[in-house]
């Protein structure tokens, strides 16, 4: 049952393009503009699974707004971004959960002050790189050159990312990702007992309810292939390895959900292709997905590059808690 102390609101057609602050005032009769702004500033409002602190954010159809009883965890900082490899052409980084990879299209023209509410990884990286290379940000040196994104991770997904630092590297890496010659291995925790399988579907932007999903219509959508292997039985959950043969938006989240095994912490894709969605009682701190391995050819030297990243502390603690609970339940059986 929904927690009455954390109300959930769904955006109606007439509320599309309305600001989040205006909608909250409508949903919460008697709340002043000042009270709504304080609620947002305190990180107590989630928009479609992500904390939102921007009162001017425009709503879309099917957006879901949740008001939290307590403030969400603070956003990651520059210090939480770790550079694993750096040269004049590429930079490989460990992205913390809670940080967006790049600015969404509709946000790119926002004024700098508004962007600073929740800076993106590609906006923070130039200054981080400058400090690592021993340069200081002085006016006479100008703004550090931007990095060039060639792939992305969802805001709540942690893990390895590569950015290009030159036009040549951007073109070459972009081609590697388009041809699916890169190596990407993810770790995830999913509901239920997941079996080894290869999931192959065609994904479309709108499956009929405004969200991405698979289609059975021939010739429609883009092919998506995910190789899934269970690593550990965690009672009602499974730690799985997912290797991407293609790299479509939200591919792992969609594929496992459609098989009846949504990821723990999933707020958007939690419906199987048939039947009722399972209930998630795992208490996941966020969506349980981590980009653990990344491999590619260096865009200039051609050298094979391979990086690994262990589960971050929040997911490692989550898996350990599920593991202990599974052992206790086995002992009672």
């Amino acid at each position: 049952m929904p927690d009455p102390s954390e109300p959930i609101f769904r955006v109606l057609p007439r509320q599309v393009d309305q600001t989040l602050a205006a909608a909250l005032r409508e949903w919460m009769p008697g709340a002043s503009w000042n009270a709504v702004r304080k609620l947002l500033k305190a990180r107590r409002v989630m928009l479609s699974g992500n904390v939102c602190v921007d009162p001017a954010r425009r709503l879309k159809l099917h957006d879901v707004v949740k008001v939290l009883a307590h403030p969400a965890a603070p956003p990651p900082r520059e210090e939480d971004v770790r550079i694993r490899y750096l040269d004049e052409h590429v930079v490989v980084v460990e992205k913390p959960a809670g940080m967006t990879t790049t600015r969404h299209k509709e946000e790119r023209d926002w004024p700098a002050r508004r962007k600073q509410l929740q800076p993106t990884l590609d906006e923070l990286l130039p200054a981080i790189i400058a400090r690592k290379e021993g340069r200081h940000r002085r006016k006479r040196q100008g703004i550090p050159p931007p990095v060039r994104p060639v792939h992305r991770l969802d805001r709540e997904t942690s893990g390895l990312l590569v950015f290009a630092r030159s036009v040549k590297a951007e073109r070459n890496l972009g081609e590697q990702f388009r041809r699916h010659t890169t190596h990407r291995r993810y770790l995830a925790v999913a509901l239920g007992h997941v079996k080894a399988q290869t999931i192959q579907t065609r994904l479309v932007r709108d499956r009929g309810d405004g969200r991405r999903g698979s289609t059975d219509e021939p010739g429609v959508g883009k092919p998506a292939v995910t190789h899934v292997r269970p690593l550990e039985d965690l009672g009602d959950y499974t730690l799985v390895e997912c290797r991407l043969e293609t790299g479509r938006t939200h591919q792992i989240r969609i594929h496992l959900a459609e098989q009846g095994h949504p990821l723990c912490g999933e707020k958007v894709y939690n419906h199987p292709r048939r039947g009722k969605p399972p209930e998630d009682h795992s208490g996941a701190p966020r969506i349980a997905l981590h980009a653990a391995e990344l491999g590619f050819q260096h865009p200039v030297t051609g050298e094979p590059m391979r990086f690994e990243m262990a589960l971050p502390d929040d997911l490692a603690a989550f898996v350990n808690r599920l593991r202990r609970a599974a052992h206790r339940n086995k002992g009672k059986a």
Side-chain angles (χ1 to χ4, degrees):
M1 294 292 291
D3 186 342
S5 67
E6 296 192 333
I8 296 174
F9 308 101
R10 300 183 183 277
V11 174
L12 302 173
R14 64 176 176 79
Q15 293 175 309
V16 171
D17 285 332
Q18 193 173 354
T19 66
L20 177 57
L24 283 168
R25 287 200 70 199
E26 180 181 341
W27 289 323
M28 303 169 66
S32 65
W33 286 107
N34 190 46
V36 167
R37 284 192 289 267
K38 285 183 176 179
L39 203 63
L40 288 157
K41 188 176 181 180
R43 299 180 59 79
R44 287 184 54 197
V45 178
M46 296 191 74
L47 176 62
S48 295
N50 295 317
V51 173
C52 185
V53 297
D54 183 9
R57 185 65 176 263
R58 298 285 174 177
L59 297 175
K60 299 178 181 178
L61 192 62
H62 305 297
D63 273 343
V64 177
V65 177
K66 182 177 183 179
V67 179
L68 304 176
H70 305 284
R77 302 163 297 174
E78 285 189 21
E79 306 91 86
D80 300 317
V81 179
R82 181 187 175 197
I83 292 181
R84 291 289 301 275
Y85 177 84
L86 177 66
D87 66 22
E88 60 183 318
H89 298 289
V90 299
V91 55
V92 177
V93 301
E94 294 182 355
K95 185 187 91 66
M99 183 177 288
T100 303
T101 304
T102 61
R103 186 70 57 185
H104 293 299
K105 186 177 180 181
E106 63 269 22
E107 301 174 353
R108 290 173 188 165
D109 295 329
W110 284 2
R113 185 176 179 182
R114 189 176 177 189
K115 288 181 178 178
Q116 287 170 359
L117 290 172
Q118 287 186 315
T120 59
L121 180 56
D122 65 333
E123 292 168 352
L124 293 175
L125 260 181
I128 297 173
I129 292 172
R131 283 194 290 274
K132 187 173 181 65
E133 291 180 332
R135 298 196 304 267
H136 298 285
R137 296 185 68 178
R138 300 191 182 100
K139 289 184 179 179
R140 61 184 177 83
Q141 290 179 318
I143 300 173
V147 294
R148 303 164 183 267
V150 291
H151 69 132
R152 293 163 177 78
L153 293 177
D154 297 337
R155 179 198 292 269
E156 294 306 311
T157 302
S158 54
L160 292 160
L161 276 167
V162 59
F163 289 85
R165 299 188 69 197
S166 64
V167 173
K168 183 176 182 179
E170 180 183 27
R171 290 173 179 168
N172 185 284
L173 286 172
E175 188 63 21
Q176 290 185 52
F177 279 96
R178 280 190 292 274
R179 291 184 176 181
H180 312 302
T181 57
T182 57
H183 170 78
R184 281 177 287 174
R185 175 178 172 268
Y186 290 73
L187 296 176
V189 183
L191 274 67
H193 300 280
V194 184
K195 298 179 180 179
Q197 58 190 298
T198 293
I199 306 171
Q200 186 168 355
T201 70
R202 299 187 72 87
L203 296 182
V204 292
R205 287 182 176 271
D206 188 343
R207 63 189 181 187
D209 61 357
R211 296 174 182 172
R212 298 176 186 271
S214 298
T215 180
D216 294 323
E217 295 184 39
V220 178
K222 295 182 179 180
V225 183
T226 307
H227 302 284
V228 181
R229 184 169 70 94
L231 298 178
E232 184 178 355
D233 182 347
L234 297 170
D236 294 330
Y237 311 95
T238 307
L239 176 65
V240 297
E241 167 193 279
C242 297
R243 186 172 60 82
L244 294 183
E245 190 168 312
T246 58
R248 311 301 179 193
T249 301
H250 301 165
Q251 178 175 316
I252 292 172
R253 296 168 60 185
I254 293 170
H255 271 172
L256 283 170
E258 290 181 341
Q259 295 297 312
H261 301 291
L263 300 187
C264 294
E266 177 64 76
K267 298 293 194 302
V268 179
Y269 305 105
N270 51 14
H271 287 266
R273 302 193 77 179
R274 295 174 182 82
K276 296 176 63 176
E279 295 187 16
D280 181 7
H281 300 294
S282 66
R286 59 173 169 94
I287 189 164
L289 184 62
H290 174 68
E293 290 185 15
L294 174 65
F296 57 91
Q297 282 194 324
H298 191 283
V300 175
T301 67
E303 177 187 358
M305 311 285 285
R306 181 68 67 94
F307 303 89
E308 296 184 18
M309 177 183 171
L311 282 176
D313 291 344
D314 62 341
L315 288 189
F318 172 62
V319 169
N320 284 334
R321 177 165 59 79
L322 294 182
R323 184 179 291 131
R324 289 194 298 269
H327 287 328
R328 285 196 301 269
N329 291 334
K330 282 183 180 179
K332 295 177 183 178

